[in-house]
Every structure is written in C-alpha cells, then in structure tokens.
C-alpha cells in the first residue's frame, strides 16, 4: 500500500449533525488521511484523545490504550475485525474502479475521477467543477457552460464529452481534459 | 423406567433435531447410548482437535453428514499464523475407512488440500454435498476431481475460501451426465470458467435452485444463464457492469422478469449504479439481499433500490448507506430479521458513514430484528438503551466501533450502561461482540444477565482481572470466549479453571497472561490443551528459554479427549 501526499483539500463534507438529544456534535473524524479522490487507500494517522478527565490515569485499561497510541502511522493487526477475504475483495474493488485522469489546461497537477461513482454527465461535470479552480470571470456560475471537457478516444482524437449516451461512454474513457 | 423396544426409542430419537439434544439423551443410559449412536445420521464437531477422527467414525458408523470446524474464529482477522493447523485430510481419511456411506461434508476454517479433495471424490459413492467455508489450501484442480468423480453431486458450496487458480477447466469436468446439481456456489474463485460449459451445465441441471457466480462472469453471460434457469431461488451475480450497451441490458431485464422465484440476491461486483434498475422487478419478492461487495452503489441509488424491497428479511450492506439510508430500511423493511452493515472504508480516512442514529432508526422500524453486525464510527449509551428497548429479541448482537476504546461522544462515558441494557433486555442473546470504551462494569452486567450467552468477543476492554472473572463465573452457557488487547492476566485465567471444561475454547491475545500462568493452567487441567502460539516474525528474536514471567502473545485453550495434537507447527507450544 503506497502512501501518497497531495495538495488537495480533505474531501469530506462533514456537517455537524444533531445527536440523540438534539445537541450538536463536533466533527467526528479524528483520523486525517490523504484526499480519497486520488483513489488510493492510505494509512491512517492514528490520533486519539486520552481519557485523563475521568481520573483514570492509573487504570490499566487506559494505560493499555496509551501504549497503542503510536505517533507514527500504524495499523492494528486484525482491526477492524473484517474478514481477510472481504478486505481483499474491497482492494480489488478499488483497483477496478473506473478511474480516469483529468487535466485542466494551465493547471500543473491533475485529478482522478472514478466514473463508476457517477451516473450521468451532469454528475460528472459537478464533480469536475468542485475539483478544479474557477477563474473569476464575469461571475458566471454555470459549470456546464464554463468547461469544455474533452476525451481522447481509441483513435487518438480529442472529442467533446457528452455526445454519446452515458452508459456507453463509461468504460471507454481513459483520459480527459478540461479547458 | 418402562421398557421400550429399541425401534421405538430410535423412532422417538428421530424427533430430536438438534445435536445438543441427541448428545444429552445418549448420556442417559447404556441402552440409549447404543440406540442413539447407531441411529445418528448427522454429526457436528465444533473443534477438530477436541476428538480424534477415528473415534467419531467408530461411534457413529451410520453417519451421513459430517461438519467439522478448525481454526479459532480470530483466524478470520489474521490473528492466527498461517500454518497453525486445522487439516481436513485426517478427517477425510478416517471417514473413507469408517463411514463410506458419507453423503455430506461441511468444513469451516480448515486447511483442505487437493489431495484430500481427490480422496473425498473417490471414496464416497453416495456423496451429495460439499460445503467449504473460509477454508484454504486447495486449487481448482481439487475442484476438478470433485466435479469428475462425484456422480450425483447435489451441492457444491464454496464460501469465502482462498482458492488458487489453476485454470478454467474444472467446471468442464462435470460430465454431460451430471444433471443433479441443486446448488452451485463458486463466488470466491478468482479465475475464469468456461462460460459455455457453465451455461450447458445449468441448463441440464433442472433442479438447480441456488447459483452464485464469481466476478469473472460477465453480465452478458448472466443474461444467457438466467434465460436457462428461470426457477432459480438464489442468485449471486458476477461482475455487474454493462460493456456492450443497451442490448445486453434489455436482455438482462427481460431475463430477470422471467425469474419469478428469485428470493435471494448477492454478488454485484463492479456494479454501476444505473444497472441496479434491472432488478427492480424482483425486489418486491426478495427476502435476502447482499450488497456488501458493491461500494459504487451509494446513498440515493441504494435508497431507491431498498424502497422496493418490503419483504426483506436479511440485508447486508456497506456503510455508505448512511444513517439516512438506514432510516429508509427501517420504514420499508418491516420483516427484517438480520442486518449487517460493513465498513466501506476500512482504513478510516474519511467520512463517518453510519452512527448510532442509523441503528436507533432501524430498531424503531424493524421490531423483528434478531441478528446484527454493525460497524460504525461511534455509539452512545442512550442509543443502545433505546435499541435494547425496541428490540428485545436479539440472539446475535455484534457492534464494532471502528476506533478502539472510544467512549460515548455525548457524555465521554464508557459504554457499560448501553451494553448492560442490551444484555438485560435481550434474554435470548447467544452471541455478543463488544467495542468502544468499556470498564469492568460491563462484564459485571454480562455475567449477571446474559444467561443464554454462548459466544463473547472482547477487544480493548476492561480494567482488571475482575472483568474476565465476572464473565467466567456468571455466564453458565458460555461456550466460546475470545479476548484481545485487554488487561486480563494470570489471576483471571486461573480463577475458575473448571469452567474451561464446560466450554469449547478460550482465546486470549495481547493480554497480560504469562507463560507461568499458562503452565499452571495446563498442570491443573490435563484434559485441556493449552497452546501458546508465538508469532513467527518474532521467533528469531526470542530467547531460547523465555522465563515464566514472559507475557504470552497468543494463547488458545480448548477441551479435548484427544490429548496434545501431533501436527502442531514449531511456533506452537502445547503445555
């Protein structure tokens, strides 16, 4: 499993949700990792709060947990308790996700999009709009009008995305460009 | 006692369906023991090392069905080294000698070699059913032997096994004369099979009711297969992506519409959300749906699908269903009995997919729920108390909070009260898995209230030896106890040694038990095998003679009539 670093923002849209008693809860995720959009699994940075407030400093259990609180990234063996067979299937699932490279003219670093997670061109354009910076032109908001998305077909020609029905295009696209 | 002729006693015993009941009646008196053992058709061996294979065959000469389990449960999570044991060959050899009329063999977590499969294929002329679950050690060559030699085979069910692919020919080894298959499951195989041979096979097996394909089978092939098997009750699809566009898709929809008996669906690897529309016509009849291999179906698509499935009794999904999706399940699936929510993001880089809210919603909508496996990012005591009140019928309750030792996020308290409510309310609870921050108190509750508990899984829990002792002294029906990364030591281990003879097994890893403690246990209890398993990676660094104070990394204790086993690898020390 390679560890990848990128310049992208964390890709989550976490909003504080209401708890059982109606109180707001703070953001839940304390494990930070690389943006999932890159399509690769990453090792978690295992950060955990101590239970000091309970006055349980001397309890063996919290000591036990603190021993595990490695500063580096270490994955516990056999945790979470998911069957090895299922983990392997998941890995295969990720690798076979239909990821396509997208480069924007004038932007050095490209992105990857998993076409399997989209079911229409609208959905794809929405994702691309979130991924790539918009130049503040005349305050124009419409993503579809702003970008021209092209792809390279089997013959090596650059074609405009959107002419062919979505289902047929899903497995054919390998490389896209946005202008 | 009134005298009954043996035939009458045997006839009465026919009504006893459970192994436990038959085991009990066999202990009443010699006459009953004799009648029972000669009339026993189905034998279950929960631990392959608890008894010698030959002994089983000698006692039950009329045996037709044999089930054997090998490695301990934690082997599923890579905690048991690869060559630990659990070999199927001795069992197959003994059965070949002692019970040649064997018809069914079920093995779980065992090492099955091609040699054993070949022996199996040749030794039992009436062989009808082979079920292998979480096994390893064989290749498609072994399957070829089964296909070739088992005339009259009705069931070949391979669930989650590690099978080495030696080519696609094995399926073609079913002879043209084979028409008896009723159930075929090769979903766990990685390699391709001959699609034409498969289609012909399913076409001529007119009694085929259960078919689970592997990922290598395309949608086009699926459509052709379904056209030939309209009476299927259970289907596991292969890869569910469309490659050639609209025509194959239409054929698929048409084929599904003809399958009026379909009640169970699984598979769906590599599925594109759009393709799920093809099964909308079957959804209203479904009682079982397994979408746990389909990470691409998220949120809205999943919900759209579930809304059609109002007869669902068993649902396996990934946590990308989210709390909102679970609320839809709660309002739609009123017949739901079993729910499993698996983590889609095992390495925890991202969003909290399901929380306690989803579980509370399910509990208020699905009052028939009795079996749960739930991976989530957090849980609260309040939620568990509510769930316990809404669903008092749980027999299996397995909760896995992904962050070990995590407290209730609302109150920062341990989850003792929440789990306490579960064991108090669910009087029929047989299986329980704990997680989150837990003190000794939860074990006090478990020991006191979980009277029917048979299996308990503990990880990163407890404060002291007292916790484990509460459980050992309290749960009178406990059969399997497995503990990892918890502060239980020798005092707990040795507190109630007699208990272990009433249980199948005890597993403890990364706890505070020492070698001295294990030796003491072994010395006191000769009818237990106390295995100390050393991690093969560290064995080079370990001293030649570790002191008794040395903490044991992994320990597996089980009752046995067979004495120390002779097939243990170097890194296993049997005390």
């Amino acid at each position: 499993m390679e560890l990848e670093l990128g310049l992208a923002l964390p890709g989550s849209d976490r909003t504080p949700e209401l708890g059982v008693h109606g109180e707001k809860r703070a953001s839940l995720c304390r494990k930070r990792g690389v943006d999932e959009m890159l399509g690769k699994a990453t090792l978690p940075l295992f950060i955990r709060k101590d239970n000091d407030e309970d006055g349980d400093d001397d309890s063996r259990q919290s000591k036990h947990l603190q021993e595990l609180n490695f500063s580096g990234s270490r994955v516990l063996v056999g945790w979470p308790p998911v069957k090895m067979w299922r983990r392997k299937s998941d890995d295969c699932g990720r690798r076979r996700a239909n990821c396509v490279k997208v480069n924007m003219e004038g932007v050095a670093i490209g992105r990857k999009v998993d076409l399997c997670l989209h079911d229409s061109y609208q959905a794809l354009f929405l994702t691309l709009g979130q991924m790539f910076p918009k130049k503040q032109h005349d305050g124009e908001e419409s993503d579809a009008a702003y970008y021209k998305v092209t792809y390279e077909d089997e013959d090596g020609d650059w074609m405009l995305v959107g002419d062919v029905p979505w289902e047929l295009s899903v497995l054919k696209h390998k490389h896209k460009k946005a202008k | 006692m009134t005298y009954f002729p043996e035939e009458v006693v045997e006839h009465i015993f026919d009504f006893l369906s459970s192994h436990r009941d038959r085991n009990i009646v066999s202990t009443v008196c010699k006459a009953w023991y004799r009648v029972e053992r000669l009339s026993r058709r189905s034998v279950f061996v929960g631990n392959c090392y608890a008894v010698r294979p030959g002994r089983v065959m000698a006692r039950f000469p009329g045996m037709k069905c044999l089930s054997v389990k090998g490695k301990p449960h934690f082997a599923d999570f890579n905690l048991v080294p690869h060559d630990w044991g659990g070999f199927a060959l001795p069992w197959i050899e003994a059965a070949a000698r002692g019970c040649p009329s064997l018809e069914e063999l079920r093995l779980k977590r065992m090492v099955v070699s091609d040699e054993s499969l070949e022996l199996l294929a040749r030794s039992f002329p009436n062989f009808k059913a082979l079920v292998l679950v979480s096994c390893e050690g064989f290749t498609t060559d072994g399957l070829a032997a089964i296909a070739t030699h088992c005339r009259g085979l009705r069931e070949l069910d391979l669930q989650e096994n590690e099978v080495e692919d030696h080519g696609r020919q094995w399926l073609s080894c079913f002879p043209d004369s084979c028409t008896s298959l009723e159930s075929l499951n090769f979903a766990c195989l990685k390699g391709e099979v001959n699609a034409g041979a498969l289609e012909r096979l399913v076409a001529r097996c007119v009694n085929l009711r259960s078919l689970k394909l592997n990922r290598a089978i395309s949608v086009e092939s699926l459509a052709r297969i379904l056209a030939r098997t309209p009476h299927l009750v259970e289907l596991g699809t292969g890869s569910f992506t469309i490659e050639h566009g609209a025509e194959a898709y239409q054929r698929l929809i048409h084929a599904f519409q003809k399958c009026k008996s379909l009640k169970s669906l699984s598979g769906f690897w590599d599925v594109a959300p759009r393709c799920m529309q093809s099964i909308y016509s079957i959804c209203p009849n479904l009682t079982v749906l397994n979408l746990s291999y389909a990470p691409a179906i998220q949120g809205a698509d999943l919900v759209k699908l579930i809304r059609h499935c109002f007869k669902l009794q068993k649902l396996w999904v990934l946590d990308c269903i989210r709390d909102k999706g679970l609320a839809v399940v709660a309002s739609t699936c009123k017949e739901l009995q079993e729910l499993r929510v698996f983590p889609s993001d095992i390495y925890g880089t991202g969003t909290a997919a399901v929380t306690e809210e989803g579980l509370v919603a399910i509990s208020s909508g699905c009052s028939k729920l009795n079996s749960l496996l739930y991976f989530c990012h957090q849980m609260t005591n309040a939620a568990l108390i509510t769930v316990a009140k809404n669903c008092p019928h749980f027999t299996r309750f397995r909760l896995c909070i992904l962050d070990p030792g995590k407290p209730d996020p609302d109150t920062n308290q341990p989850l003792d009260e929440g789990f306490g409510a579960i064991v108090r309310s669910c009087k029929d609870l047989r299986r329980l898995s704990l997680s989150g921050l837990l003190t000794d108190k939860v074990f006090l509750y478990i020991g006191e209230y979980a009277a029917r508990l048979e299996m308990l899984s503990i990880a990163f829990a407890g404060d002291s030896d007292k916790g484990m002792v509460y459980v050992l002294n309290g749960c009178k029906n406990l059969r399997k106890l497995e503990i990892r990364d918890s502060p239980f030591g020798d005092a707990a281990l040795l507190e109630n040694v007699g208990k272990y003879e009433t249980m199948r097994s005890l597993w403890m890893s990364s706890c505070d038990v020492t070698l001295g403690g294990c030796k003491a246990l072994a010395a006191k209890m000769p009818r237990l095998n106390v295995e100390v398993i050393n991690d093969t990676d560290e064995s080079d660094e370990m001293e030649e003679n570790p002191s008794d104070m040395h903490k044991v990394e992994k320990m597996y204790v089980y009752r046995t009539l067979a004495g120390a086993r002779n097939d243990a690898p170097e890194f296993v020390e049997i005390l």
Side-chain angles (χ1 to χ4, degrees):
Chain A
M1 224 177 3
E2 318 141 49
L3 185 63
E4 275 235 342
L5 297 180
L7 295 178
L9 293 170
S12 54
D13 296 316
R14 257 165 282 120
T15 51
E17 288 170 341
L18 295 178
V20 171
H21 299 298
E23 316 122 323
K24 286 212 170 165
R25 278 185 274 108
S27 180
L28 303 160
C29 180
R30 291 168 299 148
K31 292 185 187 137
R32 288 181 286 113
V34 179
D35 182 31
E36 261 215 280
M37 291 293 214
L38 293 179
K40 291 189 185 175
T42 59
L43 296 176
L45 300 178
F46 209 78
I47 303 162
R48 201 207 338 271
K49 289 190 196 133
D50 289 327
N51 305 328
D52 286 335
E53 308 98 78
D54 297 17
D56 268 347
D57 294 321
D58 300 327
S59 84
R60 290 161 71 177
Q61 195 247 356
S62 63
K63 270 198 193 131
H64 207 88
L65 287 178
Q66 280 163 32
E67 277 165 18
L68 297 166
N69 202 350
F70 294 99
S71 53
S73 51
R74 166 166 161 163
V75 180
L76 287 169
V77 176
W79 190 267
V82 173
K83 282 187 185 166
M84 295 315 296
W85 195 82
R86 184 173 283 279
R87 280 182 200 250
K88 287 183 186 170
S89 307
D90 265 355
D91 285 343
C92 292
R94 277 181 212 274
R95 263 184 255 122
R96 285 176 70 157
N98 199 3
C99 286
V100 167
K101 285 192 225 178
V102 186
N103 290 89
M104 177 146 163
E105 255 184 23
V107 178
I109 297 175
R111 303 296 299 265
K112 258 191 179 167
V113 179
D114 182 357
L115 293 182
C116 287
L117 295 180
H118 302 84
D119 63 355
S120 66
Y121 287 114
Q122 271 70 30
L124 176 64
F125 291 142
L126 199 63
T127 303
L128 291 178
Q130 286 165 356
M131 280 179 165
F132 288 97
K134 288 191 203 138
K135 291 188 193 145
Q136 300 303 319
H137 265 321
D138 351 270
E140 201 184 295
E141 292 296 317
S142 165
D143 299 322
Y146 187 72
Y147 291 105
K148 278 203 171 54
V149 186
T150 55
Y151 71 96
E152 194 178 17
D153 73 358
E154 306 102 338
D155 303 322
D157 301 320
W158 286 99
M159 313 287 290
L160 191 69
V161 159
D163 291 328
V164 180
W166 175 258
E167 291 92 335
L168 291 180
S169 72
V170 160
L171 277 153
K172 292 207 165 117
H173 295 178
K174 295 284 186 228
H175 202 104
K176 285 186 198 284
K177 235 195 227 175
K179 290 192 188 182
Chain B
M1 191 191 87
T2 322
Y3 173 78
F4 282 126
E6 284 191 359
E7 300 82 44
V8 176
V9 179
E10 184 180 322
H11 185 66
I12 295 173
F13 287 173
D14 274 346
F15 291 98
L16 299 173
S17 49
S18 86
H19 298 287
R20 196 166 303 179
D21 289 341
R22 290 200 72 122
N23 290 343
I24 290 172
V25 300
S26 69
T27 61
V28 169
C29 63
K30 278 197 176 150
W32 282 27
Y33 179 88
R34 211 177 78 86
V35 171
E36 197 285 314
R37 80 175 187 89
L38 294 174
S39 61
R40 179 93 72 125
R41 297 290 167 255
S42 176
V43 178
F44 171 75
V45 178
N47 175 3
C48 65
Y49 291 121
V51 61
R52 287 191 208 282
R55 177 96 186 81
V56 175
M57 312 307 159
R59 180 172 167 189
F60 302 112
M63 181 177 75
K64 297 259 184 295
C65 310
L66 175 64
S67 299
V68 188
K69 290 186 172 181
K71 301 184 198 179
H73 174 236
F74 275 176
D76 284 351
F77 317 128
N78 232 19
L79 288 176
V80 176
H82 187 66
D83 305 319
W84 171 83
F87 302 105
L89 188 59
W91 289 90
I92 297 177
E93 280 173 340
R97 283 192 297 268
C99 297
S101 55
L102 190 71
E103 293 180 8
E104 296 180 21
L105 183 64
R106 282 159 226 278
L107 303 176
K108 185 166 184 179
R109 277 187 220 105
M110 296 193 76
V111 178
V112 184
S113 61
D114 282 345
E115 183 196 347
S116 15
L117 288 178
E118 276 151 30
L119 181 62
L120 174 71
R122 291 180 201 276
S123 308
F124 307 103
N126 294 336
F127 199 71
K128 296 199 166 59
L130 178 63
V131 180
L132 301 177
V133 180
S134 302
C135 295
E136 54 171 348
F138 59 103
T139 76
T140 47
D141 291 340
L143 297 178
I146 300 285
T148 308
H149 300 290
C150 295
R151 302 290 152 95
L153 190 71
R154 288 207 202 130
E155 183 177 348
L156 179 60
D157 187 359
L158 308 170
Q159 298 177 31
E160 297 181 341
N161 303 291
E162 290 286 341
V163 186
E164 210 176 293
D165 183 40
H166 281 193
R168 41 156 66 190
Q169 311 86 328
W170 70 273
L171 194 89
S172 314
C173 292
F174 280 107
D176 289 339
S177 54
C178 172
T179 57
S180 48
L181 275 181
E182 295 171 11
S183 169
L184 176 62
N185 173 4
F186 60 93
C188 61
L189 296 190
K190 297 177 207 106
E192 287 185 3
V193 297
N194 186 319
L198 175 63
E199 286 160 37
R200 287 189 299 274
L201 177 65
V202 301
R204 64 180 182 268
C205 292
V206 291
N207 291 327
L208 192 70
R209 294 293 170 265
S210 174
L211 178 63
K212 295 186 183 171
L213 309 169
N214 74 347
R215 205 169 184 169
I217 303 286
S218 68
V219 151
E220 290 79 11
S221 194
L222 174 65
R224 285 194 295 271
I225 288 170
L226 284 179
R228 313 245 209 165
T229 56
H231 302 297
L232 269 187
V233 174
E234 290 182 352
L235 172 69
T237 73
S239 182
F240 215 63
T241 37
I242 307 285
E243 283 174 4
H244 295 305
E247 202 200 320
Y249 190 64
Q250 287 308 316
R251 248 186 282 134
L252 186 68
I253 295 184
H254 191 63
F256 272 128
Q257 280 168 348
K258 280 193 148 181
C259 293
K260 309 243 186 264
S261 312
L262 264 184
K263 292 221 170 69
S264 164
L265 279 184
S266 58
F268 299 109
W269 286 289
D270 312 313
V271 63
R274 256 285 167 85
C275 300
M276 294 312 287
Q277 288 177 20
S278 58
I279 66 164
Y280 283 176
S281 61
I282 324 172
C283 287
N285 292 331
L286 286 182
T287 55
V288 175
L289 181 59
N290 181 354
L291 293 171
S292 60
Y293 295 107
I297 312 181
Q298 309 225 353
D301 300 303
L302 207 41
V303 162
K304 257 190 268 171
L305 184 68
I306 301 271
R307 284 198 200 280
H308 296 259
C309 303
F310 44 87
K311 281 200 194 147
L312 220 50
Q313 292 172 17
K314 183 158 129 173
L315 175 64
W316 292 20
V317 281
L318 291 169
D319 59 7
C320 37
I321 191 172
R322 311 196 71 139
D323 289 334
K324 290 210 180 87
L326 289 176
V328 175
V329 173
S331 60
T332 313
C333 309
K334 295 302 184 188
E335 302 299 313
L336 198 68
Q337 294 177 27
E338 176 177 326
L339 174 68
R340 296 197 190 189
V341 180
F342 294 96
S344 53
D345 180 18
I346 293 183
Y347 300 106
T349 55
T351 50
V354 295
T355 67
E356 75 277 9
E357 287 182 20
L359 187 57
V360 169
I362 289 282
S363 72
S364 24
C366 307
S367 54
K368 296 188 184 175
L369 197 65
N370 59 46
S371 175
L372 179 77
L373 172 61
Y374 196 76
F375 285 85
C376 58
H377 286 251
Q378 64 178 50
M379 186 54 56
T380 65
N381 281 308
L384 284 174
I385 291 168
T386 305
V387 169
K389 213 179 342 156
N390 292 339
C391 292
H393 304 299
F394 276 119
T395 53
R396 292 182 212 88
F397 190 87
R398 293 192 280 165
L399 182 69
C400 180
I401 301 164
L402 292 166
D403 190 356
K406 181 167 176 172
D408 178 333
D410 291 347
T411 62
N412 227 27
Q413 291 298 301
L415 292 175
D416 302 335
E417 297 308 314
F419 280 106
I422 294 282
V423 294
R424 229 177 273 126
S425 164
C426 304
K427 310 222 185 299
D428 291 324
L429 195 67
R430 293 195 313 258
R431 183 168 180 185
L432 177 65
S433 295
L434 307 169
S435 59
L437 180 64
L438 295 164
T439 71
D440 286 344
K441 210 169 191 202
V442 72
F443 299 114
L444 176 68
Y445 293 145
I446 291 173
E448 183 160 347
Y449 295 108
R452 297 235 169 92
L453 194 66
E454 296 177 5
M455 181 169 176
L456 180 62
S457 306
I458 301 170
F460 306 101
D463 300 318
S464 73
D465 289 331
K466 278 199 274 184
M468 184 169 162
V469 171
Y470 288 141
V471 172
L472 290 175
N473 288 345
C475 302
K476 48 185 169 54
N477 283 306
L478 195 64
R479 290 193 292 124
K480 287 181 280 183
L481 180 59
E482 48 185 25
I483 308 173
R484 63 167 290 178
D485 294 278
S486 300
F488 306 134
D490 295 341
L493 180 69
L494 298 170
E495 164 76 19
N496 186 355
V497 294
K499 177 75 175 173
Y500 306 128
E501 274 190 0
T502 69
M503 291 166 54
R504 184 186 300 171
S505 64
L506 166 70
W507 168 281
M508 293 180 76
S509 58
S510 304
C511 297
D512 293 341
V513 173
T514 69
L515 187 58
C518 294
K519 285 183 180 173
L521 177 61
K524 282 191 185 178
M525 305 294 294
R527 285 195 299 197
L528 298 178
N529 274 359
V530 179
E531 294 195 6
V532 172
I533 302 166
N534 300 311
D535 260 319
T536 37
D537 298 335
E538 296 166 18
S539 58
D540 298 327
E541 299 156 20
M542 265 181 53
E543 328 144 28
E544 276 300 313
N545 286 316
S547 80
D548 283 0
M549 302 292 283
H550 184 93
K551 277 196 195 166
V552 158
E553 188 50 40
K554 294 173 185 173
M555 178 196 75
Y556 184 47
V557 178
Y558 53 90
R559 68 180 176 191
T560 179
L561 298 170
R565 59 185 175 111
N566 54 12
D567 62 359
E570 267 183 25
F571 53 82
V572 172
E573 192 189 340
I574 304 179
L575 301 172

